[in-house]
Amino acid sequence: MEDLIDTQSESDQRGIKIDWVGICSYSHPIQIHDKSTEKQNTIAEFSLAVDLSHERRGTHMSRFIEVLNERPINLSVNDLDLIPQNLLRRLNAKQSKVSIKFPYFLEKSSPQSGAVGLMDYEVNFKIVANEHETDSKIIVKIPVTTLCPCSKVISERGAHNQRGTVTYSVRTNETLWIEDIIFLVESCASSQLYSLLKRSDEKHVTEEAYDNPVFVEDLVRNIAIKSNDLQSILWYRVEAENVESIHNHNAYAVIEKG
Amino acid sequence: MEDLIDTQSESDQRGIKIDWVGICSYSHPIQIHDKSTEKQNTIAEFSLAVDLSHERRGTHMSRFIEVLNERPINLSVNDLDLIPQNLLRRLNAKQSKVSIKFPYFLEKSSPQSGAVGLMDYEVNFKIVANEHETDSKIIVKIPVTTLCPCSKVISERGAHNQRGTVTYSVRTNETLWIEDIIFLVESCASSQLYSLLKRSDEKHVTEEAYDNPVFVEDLVRNIAIKSNDLQSILWYRVEAENVESIHNHNAYAVIEKG
Amino acid sequence: MEDLIDTQSESDQRGIKIDWVGICSYSHPIQIHDKSTEKQNTIAEFSLAVDLSHERRGTHMSRFIEVLNERPINLSVNDLDLIPQNLLRRLNAKQSKVSIKFPYFLEKSSPQSGAVGLMDYEVNFKIVANEHETDSKIIVKIPVTTLCPCSKVISERGAHNQRGTVTYSVRTNETLWIEDIIFLVESCASSQLYSLLKRSDEKHVTEEAYDNPVFVEDLVRNIAIKSNDLQSILWYRVEAENVESIHNHNAYAVIEKG
Amino acid sequence: MEDLIDTQSESDQRGIKIDWVGICSYSHPIQIHDKSTEKQNTIAEFSLAVDLSHERRGTHMSRFIEVLNERPINLSVNDLDLIPQNLLRRLNAKQSKVSIKFPYFLEKSSPQSGAVGLMDYEVNFKIVANEHETDSKIIVKIPVTTLCPCSKVISERGAHNQRGTVTYSVRTNETLWIEDIIFLVESCASSQLYSLLKRSDEKHVTEEAYDNPVFVEDLVRNIAIKSNDLQSILWYRVEAENVESIHNHNAYAVIEKG
């Protein structure tokens, strides 16, 4: 079979470099190490790409899969350059790009009864590398409660509130654990969410949300302030979107630093 | 070209009837007539299928598209058997099945200022027909506000609330307009939703929701009672799902009649 | 806190039983045992529900989470009644319903080079239980290649083909492993899929697909025949949907036994 | 009601400007004019946002809806600045951002029999404006057939092919109609797609795809070349993604100009 024509390796006459070529929507099990976890088993969706010189017709798609198969995939926020560097080598590329998106679980105790439950967050590592440097972004989606300050102040009783989702993207120059990102964001909302709440806990989070109303604008500003205070953060983008309980559309706000 | 082999029309020796064969994920513009509208232009996603005798190898897929192309598609809840009957004829079938799903818009005035806005609802007609009879179901997704009775009663202030979605499916023996279904369901929630609310309206819906707390269980029961009161309703299924503002999972409840 | 009013436990005067009430869209890590695997770590999306008597106003939502938290969740197709039986007990219910949906990975060797890669499949256990019996369905989504027999026979060269997905649902009276379901379905398509194919493998699957053309109708019939031959299968439903490479809509077919 | 406190208009002490604040996931009917159409009725999903000065606590969300309600929404690629300019005025903003995403239909005759059918494409207008200038991008998703050159050359018969989607984004300095974008992209694939194909047409598209094999890399390069030839194109980004018929993951490639 070794004589099968290698169409991908043909030279190309069109003179056009390809910015990114690779595979996406590929699922693979991984292990994550974070601040407080031994090792957490989860399932990631991968996108992998490299650049392609104007001289070559195609990349070798099977090598992307081989890079992932080389060994079990153990990741932490401290150690994200292994896959992109392997791609550079195996694909003879100048640039590589990797996206790894997975559900991440955090054990939480409820605020009054102390009942323990697991909360899930979507985490996405986005890494771009060349031979000399690696640029890593961590993106975490964090669901929160937001209670409307306007609704509270104009109404004689109650206030509309809802689930919102904060998408927090960050580049740092020293370790920032996933769970620290989660805590930073959750502390800026009307209340954090829990998977398990007993009645005393439900009273607590209801009153806490009522006592801490935030517009979607307040939410992103509060997160921006806390982010600005952390010297290790080089860049961030915070986007919040509320599943408004009084509308059939959502409200959103964005602040990007840098 | 008329001599091209017709593989689909070959006889089949496996002896197995196919329950449904056809096309899905097909988009096409339609017009809807409802109680208060002239004609509403919208875009529908179609699924179309027929049964296939154990004697024939394949159906003729292009005829499904031809049936939809015959003329502009004008639909009302009173008149849902044209497409399924045409399918029976064009495909020489004994059974046909049609699903037509589309966004439907209703003009609403806000409760205090009277500001006018459009609310969108997902409507789905599901029709099964044979030569003698047509069975039609109308399914409408209606977003609402739900405010938690437990949270209200145990908390000194506030109450968690959220957007929920009611999926209401119904078979009737006389006309039940889409907007009547929407009104029935919205009247059973803590509050209905609006696209456009001024400040006085927001006060109104906040207080109304606080004054009318419903569990997901209350919501489906309230809808069931109103449905039971309508003689024209032969069957219904009501499912409600709340995007809980204090959890990262949803709560749901279902009642089916008959 | 023990004096907080228990609104859910109030009696209800509306006289309407609720068929199902519970939680959905809840993610939780699980372990799966299958024929050839030690233990596979994956992430499941759960729906959990129970019936609710006409006499009681609400269920206790937090107990659904507690049932999942009691111990690590280890599942196999032989052992699906633990969670539904626990729900019956903890919620004082007569009926319980559980859906567990997760990605499942299978190690496959490519057909010529023997290169090893992981293929992912979506598996869904659906279980309904009462005190006396448990009804379990296993549903597996299996992506395959389908090559059109009509296109092949009428064309002088080539034949259109595409990725399709078979959704196979089954009830059995003895063990049918997930991987046996996958093998049954994949053997009925034009070709199975692989995550990793070298050039010699690509030649193999291309020619194999060309030599085994199947309409969506052929695919479901072939699966039906193989299923009918297995005495242990009490009921099945096979649905195939092709992402047609020549259309912007899909073709589908369904056979249900019993 | 005119005395209700206007919380949004409060001054803000945090000193942080918000890049974008507004609404998203809002559906509204629109009319589109394109090269060959009178007026096409469709349904758009809107995102609308403005910047917010560091001095003000919140924006006025209801005004976004009011801007859309002012009059029926008639759009063409020549005339995209009305909504963003209205937002600047009504929200007293310096920047506004509008995304309008909708299905767009094109009538196509099949290549042999001339049978007429409707093909749907997703179109997205993205517009950013300030008082002085408007920057508009048009993004069109165009499904195509791609047939693998490697599979064709190494196999004795057949070649794997599949549906792919090209996402073409473009900025121009003169009118480029949606349908011209579609034709440009479709002419670079192995074959274009049709909703309605008779047997003679299916033979035609099968052989045409076999005669014009393209890697995902070829597809984006071909489109890049044609785009480079058009003087009116200031910037483009072309991304192609193939639903590989032999894998359970997708292949993709990207070229961006400028």
Side-chain angles (χ1 to χ4, degrees):
Chain A
M1 284 300 176
E2 63 274 19
D3 319 88
L4 293 175
I5 295 170
D6 182 0
T7 315
Q8 284 87 349
S9 295
E10 287 171 2
S11 68
D12 202 273
Q13 310 305 325
R14 284 165 287 199
I16 295 185
K17 179 184 180 311
I18 293 181
D19 293 309
W20 298 115
V21 55
I23 65 165
C24 59
S25 298
Y26 178 74
S27 289
H28 202 92
I30 63 169
Q31 283 194 324
I32 296 291
H33 303 231
D34 201 55
K35 195 176 185 182
S36 65
T37 54
E38 288 290 319
K39 284 182 181 182
Q40 182 172 138
N41 292 291
T42 185
I43 307 294
E45 186 185 313
F46 283 85
S47 281
L48 306 171
V50 294
D51 65 332
L52 184 70
S53 148
H54 69 89
E55 295 168 328
R56 277 261 309 288
R57 181 159 181 206
T59 191
H60 285 95
M61 294 287 185
S62 61
R63 296 189 192 166
F64 292 95
I65 303 293
E66 287 174 337
V67 163
L68 294 185
N69 285 351
E70 273 168 13
R71 61 182 68 82
I73 302 172
N74 296 296
L75 294 171
S76 95
V77 295
N78 284 321
D79 174 31
L80 293 176
D81 60 354
L82 185 64
I83 296 171
Q85 291 300 333
N86 283 353
L87 287 177
L88 290 176
R89 231 181 350 262
R90 285 298 310 279
L91 278 303
N92 296 316
K94 292 197 173 140
Q95 300 270 348
S96 66
K97 189 160 84 162
V98 173
S99 167
I100 311 172
K101 190 165 70 180
F102 55 90
Y104 176 80
F105 290 87
L106 205 61
E107 206 172 84
K108 267 193 190 182
S109 297
S110 71
Q112 285 291 327
S113 74
V116 174
L118 283 179
M119 267 288 294
D120 63 305
Y121 302 87
E122 183 190 297
V123 178
N124 193 347
F125 298 142
K126 295 204 175 195
I127 316 138
V128 177
N130 61 28
E131 196 187 349
H132 306 295
E133 44 182 7
T134 301
D135 173 53
S136 301
K137 270 192 297 191
I138 303 171
I139 303 163
V140 188
K141 291 199 185 231
I142 298 143
V144 297
T145 305
T146 57
L147 186 138
C148 178
C150 171
S151 170
K152 175 181 173 179
V153 83
I154 62 178
S155 304
E156 287 168 35
R157 50 204 178 276
H160 80 79
N161 52 75
Q162 55 267 317
R163 200 192 296 165
T165 301
V166 175
T167 303
Y168 186 79
S169 310
V170 68
R171 282 193 187 94
T172 63
N173 59 11
E174 57 182 66
T175 303
L176 182 62
W177 298 105
I178 298 168
E179 64 178 90
D180 289 333
I181 293 173
I182 293 169
F183 295 151
L184 184 156
V185 167
E186 290 184 338
S187 69
C188 296
S190 296
S191 171
Q192 57 180 299
L193 303 190
Y194 298 87
S195 65
L196 181 53
L197 292 172
K198 304 304 289 180
R199 215 147 41 239
S200 60
D201 303 311
E202 185 171 354
K203 173 179 164 62
H204 180 96
V205 297
T206 301
E207 294 171 357
E208 188 184 37
Y210 193 80
D211 295 341
N212 293 282
V214 291
F215 287 126
V216 72
E217 295 95 327
D218 294 318
L219 180 54
V220 293
R221 275 179 169 142
N222 291 346
I223 297 167
I225 287 175
K226 291 214 175 184
S227 303
N228 291 343
D229 286 348
L230 288 174
Q231 302 276 325
S232 60
I233 293 181
L234 304 174
W235 168 88
Y236 64 81
R237 185 181 187 278
V238 50
E239 173 163 357
E241 181 172 337
N242 283 344
V243 183
E244 296 284 301
S245 65
I246 61 172
H247 295 304
N248 198 26
H249 55 263
N250 294 351
Y252 80 106
V254 180
I255 295 173
E256 183 168 337
K257 180 195 173 179
Chain B
M1 285 296 176
E2 63 277 15
D3 320 87
L4 291 175
I5 294 170
D6 182 359
T7 315
Q8 284 86 349
S9 296
E10 288 172 2
S11 69
D12 202 273
Q13 309 306 324
R14 283 165 289 199
I16 295 183
K17 179 186 182 308
I18 292 181
D19 293 310
W20 298 114
V21 57
I23 64 165
C24 60
S25 298
Y26 179 73
S27 288
H28 202 92
I30 64 170
Q31 282 195 323
I32 296 291
H33 304 232
D34 202 54
K35 197 178 183 180
S36 64
T37 55
E38 287 291 320
K39 282 182 182 184
Q40 182 171 139
N41 291 291
T42 186
I43 307 294
E45 185 185 313
F46 283 85
S47 281
L48 306 171
V50 294
D51 66 331
L52 184 70
S53 148
H54 68 90
E55 294 167 329
R56 276 260 310 288
R57 183 161 179 204
T59 191
H60 285 94
M61 295 287 185
S62 62
R63 296 189 192 168
F64 292 95
I65 304 293
E66 288 174 336
V67 163
L68 294 185
N69 286 350
E70 274 169 14
R71 63 182 68 82
I73 302 172
N74 296 297
L75 292 172
S76 95
V77 296
N78 284 323
D79 175 31
L80 294 176
D81 60 355
L82 184 64
I83 296 171
Q85 291 299 332
N86 283 354
L87 287 178
L88 290 177
R89 231 180 351 260
R90 287 297 311 277
L91 279 302
N92 296 317
K94 292 196 172 139
Q95 301 269 347
S96 68
K97 190 161 83 163
V98 173
S99 167
I100 310 171
K101 191 166 69 181
F102 55 91
Y104 176 80
F105 290 87
L106 205 61
E107 206 171 83
K108 268 192 191 185
S109 297
S110 70
Q112 285 291 325
S113 73
V116 173
L118 283 178
M119 268 285 296
D120 63 306
Y121 302 87
E122 182 192 298
V123 178
N124 192 346
F125 298 142
K126 294 204 175 195
I127 315 138
V128 178
N130 61 30
E131 196 187 349
H132 305 297
E133 45 182 7
T134 301
D135 173 54
S136 301
K137 270 193 297 190
I138 303 169
I139 303 163
V140 188
K141 291 199 186 232
I142 299 143
V144 296
T145 305
T146 57
L147 185 139
C148 178
C150 170
S151 171
K152 175 181 173 179
V153 82
I154 61 178
S155 303
E156 286 168 35
R157 50 203 178 276
H160 80 79
N161 52 74
Q162 54 267 319
R163 201 191 297 166
T165 301
V166 175
T167 304
Y168 186 79
S169 311
V170 68
R171 281 193 188 95
T172 63
N173 60 10
E174 58 182 64
T175 302
L176 182 61
W177 297 105
I178 297 167
E179 65 179 89
D180 290 331
I181 293 172
I182 293 169
F183 294 152
L184 184 157
V185 166
E186 289 184 338
S187 70
C188 297
S190 297
S191 172
Q192 57 181 297
L193 303 189
Y194 299 86
S195 65
L196 181 53
L197 292 172
K198 305 304 289 180
R199 213 143 49 236
S200 59
D201 303 311
E202 185 171 355
K203 172 180 162 63
H204 179 96
V205 298
T206 301
E207 295 170 356
E208 189 184 36
Y210 193 80
D211 295 340
N212 293 282
V214 291
F215 287 125
V216 71
E217 294 95 325
D218 294 318
L219 180 55
V220 293
R221 274 177 170 143
N222 291 346
I223 296 167
I225 286 174
K226 291 215 176 180
S227 304
N228 290 343
D229 286 349
L230 288 174
Q231 302 275 324
S232 60
I233 293 182
L234 304 174
W235 168 88
Y236 64 82
R237 185 180 187 279
V238 50
E239 174 163 357
E241 182 172 337
N242 284 344
V243 183
E244 297 283 304
S245 65
I246 60 172
H247 296 303
N248 198 25
H249 55 263
N250 294 351
Y252 80 106
V254 180
I255 294 173
E256 183 168 337
K257 179 194 173 180
Chain C
M1 284 297 178
E2 65 274 17
D3 318 89
L4 293 175
I5 295 170
D6 182 359
T7 314
Q8 284 86 349
S9 295
E10 286 172 3
S11 69
D12 201 273
Q13 309 306 325
R14 283 165 287 198
I16 295 183
K17 181 185 181 307
I18 292 179
D19 293 311
W20 298 114
V21 56
I23 64 166
C24 60
S25 298
Y26 178 73
S27 288
H28 202 93
I30 63 169
Q31 282 194 323
I32 296 291
H33 303 232
D34 201 54
K35 197 176 184 182
S36 65
T37 54
E38 288 289 318
K39 282 182 182 182
Q40 180 171 139
N41 292 290
T42 186
I43 308 294
E45 186 185 313
F46 283 86
S47 281
L48 306 171
V50 294
D51 65 331
L52 184 70
S53 149
H54 69 89
E55 294 168 328
R56 277 259 311 285
R57 182 162 180 203
T59 191
H60 286 93
M61 295 286 184
S62 62
R63 296 187 192 169
F64 292 94
I65 304 293
E66 287 174 337
V67 163
L68 294 185
N69 285 351
E70 273 169 14
R71 63 181 68 81
I73 302 172
N74 296 296
L75 292 172
S76 96
V77 295
N78 283 321
D79 174 31
L80 294 176
D81 60 353
L82 184 64
I83 296 172
Q85 292 299 333
N86 283 354
L87 286 178
L88 290 177
R89 232 180 350 261
R90 286 297 311 278
L91 277 303
N92 296 316
K94 291 195 173 143
Q95 299 269 347
S96 66
K97 189 160 83 163
V98 173
S99 167
I100 310 172
K101 191 166 69 181
F102 55 92
Y104 176 79
F105 291 87
L106 205 61
E107 206 172 84
K108 268 193 190 183
S109 297
S110 71
Q112 285 290 325
S113 74
V116 173
L118 283 179
M119 268 285 295
D120 63 306
Y121 303 87
E122 183 191 297
V123 178
N124 192 348
F125 298 142
K126 293 204 175 196
I127 315 138
V128 178
N130 62 29
E131 195 187 350
H132 306 296
E133 45 183 7
T134 301
D135 173 54
S136 301
K137 270 194 296 192
I138 302 170
I139 303 163
V140 188
K141 291 199 186 232
I142 298 143
V144 297
T145 304
T146 58
L147 185 138
C148 178
C150 170
S151 170
K152 175 180 173 180
V153 84
I154 61 179
S155 303
E156 286 168 35
R157 48 203 180 278
H160 80 80
N161 52 74
Q162 54 267 317
R163 200 191 296 165
T165 301
V166 175
T167 304
Y168 187 79
S169 310
V170 67
R171 281 193 187 95
T172 62
N173 60 11
E174 56 183 66
T175 302
L176 181 61
W177 297 105
I178 296 168
E179 65 178 89
D180 290 332
I181 293 173
I182 292 169
F183 295 153
L184 184 157
V185 167
E186 289 184 338
S187 68
C188 297
S190 296
S191 171
Q192 57 181 297
L193 303 189
Y194 299 86
S195 65
L196 180 53
L197 292 173
K198 304 305 288 180
R199 213 143 46 236
S200 59
D201 304 311
E202 186 171 354
K203 172 179 164 63
H204 179 97
V205 298
T206 300
E207 295 170 356
E208 188 184 38
Y210 193 79
D211 295 340
N212 293 282
V214 291
F215 287 126
V216 72
E217 295 95 327
D218 294 318
L219 180 55
V220 294
R221 274 178 170 143
N222 291 346
I223 297 167
I225 286 173
K226 291 216 175 180
S227 302
N228 290 342
D229 286 348
L230 289 174
Q231 302 275 326
S232 60
I233 292 182
L234 304 174
W235 167 89
Y236 65 80
R237 184 179 188 280
V238 50
E239 174 163 357
E241 182 171 336
N242 282 345
V243 183
E244 296 284 302
S245 65
I246 60 173
H247 295 303
N248 199 24
H249 56 261
N250 294 351
Y252 79 106
V254 181
I255 294 174
E256 183 168 338
K257 179 194 172 181
Chain D
M1 284 297 177
E2 64 275 16
D3 319 87
L4 292 174
I5 295 170
D6 183 359
T7 315
Q8 284 86 348
S9 295
E10 287 172 2
S11 69
D12 201 273
Q13 309 307 324
R14 283 165 289 198
I16 296 184
K17 179 184 182 310
I18 292 180
D19 294 309
W20 298 113
V21 56
I23 64 165
C24 60
S25 299
Y26 178 74
S27 289
H28 203 92
I30 64 170
Q31 281 195 325
I32 296 290
H33 303 233
D34 202 53
K35 196 177 185 180
S36 65
T37 55
E38 288 290 319
K39 283 182 182 182
Q40 182 172 138
N41 292 291
T42 186
I43 307 294
E45 186 185 314
F46 283 86
S47 281
L48 306 170
V50 294
D51 66 332
L52 184 70
S53 148
H54 70 88
E55 294 168 329
R56 278 260 310 287
R57 183 164 180 200
T59 192
H60 285 95
M61 295 287 185
S62 61
R63 296 188 192 167
F64 293 94
I65 304 293
E66 288 173 336
V67 164
L68 295 185
N69 286 351
E70 273 168 15
R71 63 182 67 83
I73 302 172
N74 296 296
L75 293 172
S76 95
V77 296
N78 284 321
D79 175 31
L80 293 176
D81 61 353
L82 183 64
I83 296 172
Q85 291 300 333
N86 282 354
L87 286 178
L88 290 177
R89 231 179 352 261
R90 286 298 311 277
L91 278 303
N92 296 315
K94 292 195 172 141
Q95 301 269 348
S96 67
K97 190 160 83 163
V98 173
S99 166
I100 310 173
K101 191 166 69 179
F102 55 91
Y104 176 80
F105 290 87
L106 206 61
E107 206 172 82
K108 268 193 189 182
S109 297
S110 70
Q112 285 290 328
S113 73
V116 173
L118 284 179
M119 267 287 293
D120 62 306
Y121 302 87
E122 183 190 297
V123 178
N124 193 347
F125 298 142
K126 294 203 176 197
I127 316 137
V128 178
N130 61 28
E131 197 187 348
H132 306 295
E133 44 183 6
T134 302
D135 172 54
S136 301
K137 270 192 297 190
I138 303 171
I139 303 161
V140 188
K141 291 198 186 233
I142 298 143
V144 297
T145 304
T146 57
L147 186 137
C148 179
C150 171
S151 170
K152 176 180 173 180
V153 84
I154 61 178
S155 303
E156 287 168 33
R157 51 204 178 276
H160 80 81
N161 52 75
Q162 55 267 317
R163 200 191 296 165
T165 301
V166 175
T167 303
Y168 186 78
S169 310
V170 69
R171 282 193 187 94
T172 63
N173 59 11
E174 57 183 65
T175 302
L176 182 61
W177 298 105
I178 297 168
E179 65 179 90
D180 290 331
I181 293 173
I182 293 170
F183 295 153
L184 185 156
V185 167
E186 289 184 338
S187 69
C188 297
S190 297
S191 172
Q192 57 180 300
L193 303 190
Y194 299 87
S195 66
L196 181 54
L197 291 172
K198 304 304 290 179
R199 214 147 43 238
S200 60
D201 304 311
E202 185 170 355
K203 172 178 163 63
H204 179 96
V205 297
T206 301
E207 294 170 357
E208 188 184 39
Y210 192 79
D211 294 341
N212 293 283
V214 291
F215 287 125
V216 72
E217 294 95 328
D218 295 317
L219 180 54
V220 294
R221 275 179 170 140
N222 292 345
I223 296 168
I225 286 173
K226 292 216 174 180
S227 303
N228 291 342
D229 286 349
L230 289 174
Q231 303 274 325
S232 60
I233 292 182
L234 304 174
W235 168 89
Y236 63 81
R237 184 180 187 278
V238 50
E239 174 163 357
E241 182 171 337
N242 283 345
V243 183
E244 297 283 302
S245 65
I246 60 172
H247 295 303
N248 198 26
H249 55 263
N250 294 351
Y252 80 107
V254 180
I255 294 174
E256 183 168 337
K257 180 195 173 179

